[in-house]
Each structure stands twice: as C-alpha cells, then as structure tokens.
Amino acid sequence: MVSTPTPLFTNQNKMDLKLLFYIAGKHIFSRLKQSVIAALGVTFGVGMFITMSTFMTGLNQLLDGLTMDRTPHIRLYKEIAPSPLQPLNLSKTYEDDLLVVSSVKPKQQQNRIAAASSIIRSIRDYPEVRGVSPQVVSQVFYNAGAVDLTGVVSGIDVAEEVRLFPLEKYVIEGNTDALERDANAIILGNGVAKKLSAGIGDRVQLVSPTGNRISLKVVGLYLSGLSEIDDTQSYVNIGTARRLLGESSSFITSINVKLFDLENALPLAQQFSKLYNIKATDIGTANADFDTGTSIRNLITYVVAITLLLVAGFGIYNILNMFIREKMNDIAILKATGFSGKEVKTIFMIQAMTIGVFGGISGLFLGWGLSVFIDNTPFEISALPSITTYPVNFEPLYFIIGFIFAVVASFFAGYLPANKAMKMDPVDVLRGQ
C-alpha cells in the first residue's frame, strides 16, 4: 500500500510563491538557450508589430494628409445639371400618365452661387465651423510666347486660404504674401511653369473662356506632388480672378468650409444643401475611394503584425512542451514530495509569463529603436518637397497593444503545457523509469 506523502505546505490556501519562483527560475536557467530563443521570438514579434504599425500608419497619415490638407471638409457649389422637373411634369393633363423624356439637356446658366456673401456669413456663425474660404474657379489658357496651355485658375481669399489650408507648405519658390499684396500676381503649378519655361519674376498671360486676357507676374511655384494638379493648377487673388472673368465683386463659384470635427461634415453638408438650395459635398463622399484604400492598407498591416505575435506565441508553446518532456522526473519528484498539481502548474506558468514579459519589454525597445531609425532615414523626392524622412507615427497605443498581446499570448501558450504538467501522475512517471 502506497502511503500518502506529507504535504510540504501546511497552509493549503497560501502557496510559497517565493519557492515556486525559485524553481521556475532554475528551470529557465537550466535551459537558458531555449529560454532565450523563446524570448527572442516574442521580442521580434512585438518589435516587428510596433515597427510595422508605426511605419504603415505613418505612411497612411502622410497620404491622408496630402489629400486632407487641400480638401475642404464641405464644398458648396452650383451644380450644372438637367432639371429633374420638366414642363410635362408640371402639367395636370398628364399627371396620371407615365412620362418619359429623353435627351434632356441642362439649360444655359452661370455657375455662380447666388447670395454667396449672405451664405458665407451664415455658415461662419455655426459653432462647428472653423472657417470659410470663398473661391472663383475657372478654366483658362496659359500663354507665354507661342505656347498655349489649358489649365485651371483658382481665385482665393489668400489670408483665409492660408489659415485653413496649408498652401504655403506646397509653395517651393516664392511666397503667398506677394499674392495677397499684388493684384497682378500668380502662383503657378510647377508642371505649368516647366512647360511655359517660366520662373519667379516672369510674366504669363491668362486667357479666360470668354476671351478676356490679363498679364500676371509669377511670384511663386506650387508643387503638390500630384502631377494632374501641378500640370494645370494656378492661384491668383480672388479679385484678379473676377477681373479675368469680367465679373462683379460678389461673384463666387465655390465655398470651401473647414470644420473643427470631421465627423460633422456629412450632416452639415446635408443641412447646408437643404437650407441654401445648393450642392454641398462632404469630404467623405468626395474621397470615398481613397478612404477605402486606407482602410485596406490598415487591415493588411494589422493582420501581418498580429500574425507575427501569434508565431511568437507558438514558439513559447513549443519551448514549454520541451521543458515538460525533459522535466518529467522533476515534476514527478515535486508531486511526490508534496507539491500539488496547481503548484506545479503555477511553476510552468511563471516560466511562460517570465519569457513573455522579458520578451515583450525587449520588443518595446526593439520596436522603438527601429521606428526611430526609420524616422531618421532620409526620404527626399522632388514630388514631395515637404517630406525629408520616412513617415512614422509614434502612437503610444501600438506599444501598449504590443506588450499586452505578448503577455496574453505567452499566458495562453504556457497554459496548455502547464495544465498537462498539473495532470501528470508521478507514479506512472517513476514506474516508467
């Protein structure tokens, strides 16, 4: 008859954690190479998760910024489109009939916004509105010598445009102050300037669709990084644009609105459209395709990064499985000398969590170091003059998520082997020897 061994702990509700930590430490240092390899798996998993997250989200913020900087949260303009109600629809004679009117053409009308000044004052009173920038936009011909190019000129309220949209950030030569002071000044898109062989101080002629012609002095070159904009776009004072088109001081073709909170763009756009009977487009609708691309890139980033952490978790699982196989005699002796299954399980869980915590902390330093290295790596291209290094987003949340995931993954990776050790029968182990 096998006698029951005397329990090592007199108080069953309180384990000697110090002893359990000591035994777990002995196990780790007895197989230091395997322990270091498991910790390195967690380190590289967490480090790569942080590096990918900071770099990819930084890249997405850069791309978003290039679009958001120049895009109003709400744009109001007069839409040229066929009238939804035709004369037949207004006739009572045919009100019960099915009416089909084909090849409907829009009527001839100006694209000016009626009562634009009143609308601007009204919008500025909304607490959600950060600012309003009126514009006069028109197609033009650029003329320099024998060269004629088609393009688009935007007449802007320079002070308000610079305050709401970082126009000066994309002016690579000259400045916006000269545009505000001089009514005969123009900032040319860099692509337009190259085609016209025009530089700072040169003069170009603008010809409106109605044939009006004015000569303007180049005071700046604009480079957005988007060739379709740089090859056509130019900026002038809003008064200059009205003079080019032969319009009055109240003539406005579009109203750009910036908000304090981007989430208010859609409801306010709908409200403005009904209130002022004008077309209003919010930034989400105008850039739906771009937002979809950003979401997909973020999803891919998170999937790859989380996969790295899971791989690290499987590494811990394999290491602990090997520990248990190599320590079967030790487990049997521990149980035979009075250690309960719960205490044996705790020993192996301590090993798993120790590997996870040290690997997670090392991963934080690795991820931070790689992110700093990327952030200081030169990245200079002529299309993006405002960018000098690779974009990195040092969001603390990614470091917190990486460490928590490392600890959680280590816990679950160690739970199954530890549970197996808890259920091991010491008699069967020792009999097998």
Side-chain angles (χ1 to χ4, degrees):
M1 180 176 181
V2 180
S3 61
T4 304
T6 304
L8 182 64
F9 304 108
T10 56
N11 186 356
Q12 296 181 353
N13 296 326
K14 182 179 180 181
M15 297 184 296
D16 190 346
L17 290 179
K18 184 177 180 181
L19 179 59
L20 298 183
F21 271 98
Y22 174 79
I23 296 173
K26 282 294 184 180
H27 281 183
I28 291 175
F29 284 100
S30 65
R31 292 292 183 270
L32 185 60
K33 182 177 180 180
Q34 291 91 331
S35 302
V36 170
I37 291 173
L40 284 177
V42 179
T43 298
F44 283 108
V46 173
M48 290 302 103
F49 169 82
I50 292 173
T51 303
M52 288 192 63
S53 299
T54 55
F55 177 58
M56 290 302 296
T57 55
L59 180 61
N60 285 339
Q61 286 183 352
L62 168 64
L63 296 175
D64 290 345
L66 291 175
T67 300
M68 299 302 178
D69 282 351
R70 297 184 297 267
T71 306
H73 294 161
I74 301 175
R75 178 173 176 259
L76 288 79
Y77 60 99
K78 185 173 182 179
E79 186 179 37
I80 305 299
S83 174
L85 291 177
Q86 297 299 313
L88 282 175
N89 299 111
L90 304 176
S91 174
K92 294 184 179 181
T93 305
Y94 304 101
E95 60 183 355
D96 296 326
D97 296 332
L98 175 62
L99 303 178
V100 178
V101 181
S102 60
S103 301
V104 179
K105 302 295 188 298
K107 65 180 181 179
Q108 185 177 2
Q109 54 184 319
Q110 287 187 324
N111 61 348
R112 68 182 301 162
I113 297 177
S117 300
S118 299
I119 294 175
I120 291 173
R121 286 195 299 269
S122 176
I123 292 176
R124 280 175 174 160
D125 290 336
Y126 281 78
E128 301 92 343
V129 174
R130 180 185 169 193
V132 182
S133 176
Q135 283 193 352
V136 174
V137 181
S138 175
Q139 292 183 336
V140 293
F141 289 99
Y142 301 107
N143 177 264
V147 180
D148 284 313
L149 294 176
T150 59
V152 177
V153 63
S154 294
I156 59 174
D157 180 339
V158 180
E160 195 70 1
E161 190 78 12
V162 170
R163 184 177 74 87
L164 300 177
F165 307 93
L167 179 63
E168 73 286 349
K169 179 180 176 182
Y170 300 96
V171 177
I172 57 174
E173 290 186 39
N175 56 71
T176 57
D177 294 337
L179 189 67
E180 186 174 13
R181 294 192 307 265
D182 191 349
N184 293 312
I186 184 172
I187 293 179
L188 280 180
N190 194 55
V192 178
K194 287 182 178 180
K195 293 178 181 179
L196 296 176
S197 298
I200 302 296
D202 293 336
R203 302 193 74 86
V204 296
Q205 291 191 15
L206 269 62
V207 183
S208 71
T210 58
N212 294 339
R213 182 185 298 264
I214 58 174
S215 178
L216 301 177
K217 180 181 177 181
V218 179
V219 297
L221 299 180
Y222 174 85
L223 181 61
S224 67
L226 302 175
S227 59
E228 62 269 21
I229 295 178
D230 298 332
D231 290 346
T232 59
Q233 183 71 54
S234 65
Y235 292 93
V236 298
N237 193 293
I238 192 169
T240 305
R242 289 166 177 158
R243 180 159 54 91
L244 172 65
L245 299 176
E247 297 290 347
S248 65
S249 59
S250 62
F251 182 81
I252 291 174
T253 60
S254 62
I255 300 173
N256 294 334
V257 181
K258 274 280 189 176
L259 306 176
F260 289 106
D261 188 355
L262 193 61
E263 298 298 324
N264 294 324
L266 180 57
L268 277 179
Q270 295 172 343
Q271 183 177 346
F272 292 160
S273 180
K274 293 179 181 179
L275 183 61
Y276 305 119
N277 191 27
I278 194 174
K279 182 71 174 181
T281 304
D282 67 284
I283 189 172
T285 303
N287 297 278
D289 293 341
F290 185 84
D291 290 341
T292 301
T294 299
S295 300
I296 292 175
R297 288 193 299 271
N298 285 334
L299 179 61
I300 294 174
T301 300
Y302 294 139
V303 168
V304 173
I306 290 174
T307 300
L308 292 173
L309 295 180
L310 290 176
V311 170
F314 281 113
I316 297 175
Y317 173 79
N318 290 331
I319 294 295
L320 289 181
N321 256 335
M322 288 190 295
F323 276 160
I324 290 173
R325 288 183 180 277
E326 295 173 356
K327 298 293 183 181
M328 290 181 65
N329 289 340
D330 293 357
I331 295 171
I333 292 173
L334 287 173
K335 285 194 170 185
T337 54
F339 283 83
S340 67
K342 185 177 180 181
E343 292 161 353
V344 172
K345 179 179 179 180
T346 302
I347 291 173
F348 286 94
M349 287 302 300
I350 291 173
Q351 295 180 53
M353 297 306 295
T354 301
I355 293 173
V357 169
F358 277 96
I361 293 174
S362 301
L364 294 180
F365 285 103
L366 176 63
W368 178 80
L370 290 174
S371 298
V372 170
F373 174 77
I374 294 173
D375 188 45
N376 288 277
T377 301
F379 177 64
E380 298 180 2
I381 56 177
S382 59
L384 296 173
S386 60
I387 307 301
T388 57
T389 60
Y390 283 99
V392 175
N393 175 26
F394 288 95
E395 173 61 51
L397 180 62
Y398 301 128
F399 293 83
I400 296 173
I401 291 176
F403 181 76
I404 291 177
F405 200 99
V407 173
V408 172
S410 301
F411 175 85
F412 284 105
Y415 181 81
L416 292 178
N419 201 49
K420 179 180 178 181
M422 180 184 70
K423 297 178 179 179
M424 192 175 294
D425 189 342
V427 176
D428 292 339
V429 175
L430 297 176
R431 184 185 293 123
Q433 304 297 318

